[in-house]
């Protein structure tokens, strides 16, 4: 009984090690040639097509809720002129990358895991290895790069739509001043905040794609195993995203000084 318990306790550690090793293999595959340009373009278009509309729709309530919450809080301190800058910081720093990553992992990542899982149970991946074709270099690398590229562009979309939605809700519902909302952008925000959001989106897209590819290529047990792999990939990605987001935010505040004027 004790051996079974220890095995269950060590299983997550083994999975984490295998996932890390898989990520290293993907990193090595980035520099191998030939690069699968056609596969990369197809995957980028597919991920964008299944995520762009939900991302735009999610960005509107994100920006609205942030504007309403921040506006109501700041109004109590009599600093309504800083609603714009606070809303922009919240969207660009946190809401944009997080919303992008969740949708890329939930829509694009689940599709990637299902595709590779289906190939696994049909033994297509084994056939490729027999023919001397590396599945990681042929299938995984283009999907990882496509997810990273699409995440960066979707992050820009979320930021623009979220800021615009916050502007509309602040001006209409909270009777804010349009000029002060726009003018306060530069009061607290700085270019480093934009770069932070882009880097976060890039890293989150990398994590979502690697986890989805790993779970898909290690699926087993028929169609049920593929479904389990898809569910596990989404859950694991969500957990990793929040941990990595906390670490990156903490590092950012240690490196970049706050703007005070």
């Amino acid at each position: 009984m004790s051996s079974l318990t220890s095995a269950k306790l060590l299983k997550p550690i083994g999975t984490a090690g295998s996932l890390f090793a898989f990520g290293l293999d993907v990193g090595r595959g980035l520099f191998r040639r030939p690069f699968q340009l056609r596969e990369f373009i197809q995957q980028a278009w597919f991920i964008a097509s299944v995520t762009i509309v939900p991302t735009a729709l999610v960005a509107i309530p994100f920006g609205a809720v942030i504007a309403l919450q921040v506006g109501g809080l700041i109004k109590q301190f009599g600093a309504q002129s800083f609603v714009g800058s606070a809303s922009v910081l919240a969207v660009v720093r946190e809401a944009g990358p997080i919303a992008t990553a969740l949708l890329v992992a939930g829509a694009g990542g689940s599709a990637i895991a299902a595709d590779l899982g289906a190939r696994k149970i049909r033994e297509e991946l084994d056939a490729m290895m027999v023919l001397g074709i590396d599945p990681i270099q042929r299938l995984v690398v283009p999907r990882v790069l496509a997810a990273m590229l699409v995440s960066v562009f979707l992050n820009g979309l979320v930021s623009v739509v979220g800021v615009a939605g916050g502007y509309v809700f602040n001006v209409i519902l909270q009777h804010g001043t349009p000029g002060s909302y726009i003018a306060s952008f530069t009061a607290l925000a700085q270019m480093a905040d934009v770069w932070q959001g882009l880097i976060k989106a890039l890293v989150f897209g990398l994590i979502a794609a690697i986890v989805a590819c790993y779970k898909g290529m290690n699926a087993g047990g028929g169609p049920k195993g593929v479904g389990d792999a898809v569910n596990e990939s989404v859950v694991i990605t969500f957990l990793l995203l929040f941990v990595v987001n906390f670490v990156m935010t903490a590092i950012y505040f240690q490196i970049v000084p706050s703007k005070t004027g």
Side-chain angles (χ1 to χ4, degrees), residues 75-209:
K75 189 175 182 180
Q76 298 179 18
F77 295 95
Q80 292 90 336
S81 59
F82 290 98
V83 172
S85 58
S87 300
V88 170
L89 282 177
V91 171
V92 172
R93 283 182 180 176
E94 301 297 333
I98 288 293
T100 299
L102 295 181
L103 287 168
V104 168
S110 60
I112 291 174
D115 177 40
L116 294 179
R119 293 172 184 262
K120 174 67 175 179
I121 65 174
R122 292 198 302 263
E123 299 182 350
E124 292 183 17
L125 302 182
D126 296 332
M128 292 177 65
M129 296 178 67
V130 170
L131 294 174
I133 301 174
D134 185 7
I136 293 180
Q137 190 265 340
R138 177 65 179 82
L139 299 175
V140 176
V141 170
R143 285 165 170 77
V144 171
L145 292 178
M148 294 171 66
L149 178 66
V150 173
S151 295
V152 172
F153 284 107
L154 289 180
N155 177 70
L157 174 64
V158 173
S159 299
V160 172
V161 176
V163 171
Y167 169 83
V168 171
F169 278 84
N170 175 256
V171 172
I172 294 178
L173 296 183
Q174 296 182 317
H175 308 290
T177 305
S180 65
Y181 188 97
I182 297 175
S184 64
F185 281 7
T186 57
L188 297 176
Q190 49 188 327
M191 196 61 194
D193 298 322
V194 178
W195 286 111
Q196 183 207 24
L198 293 176
I199 294 174
K200 276 187 176 183
L202 194 70
V203 174
F204 293 167
L206 172 68
I207 293 173

Side-chain angles (χ1 to χ4, degrees), residues 216-237:
M217 294 186 69
N218 289 276
K224 182 180 182 302
V226 176
D228 293 339
V230 172
N231 294 333
E232 292 173 3
S233 69
V234 175
V235 174
I236 293 174
T237 301

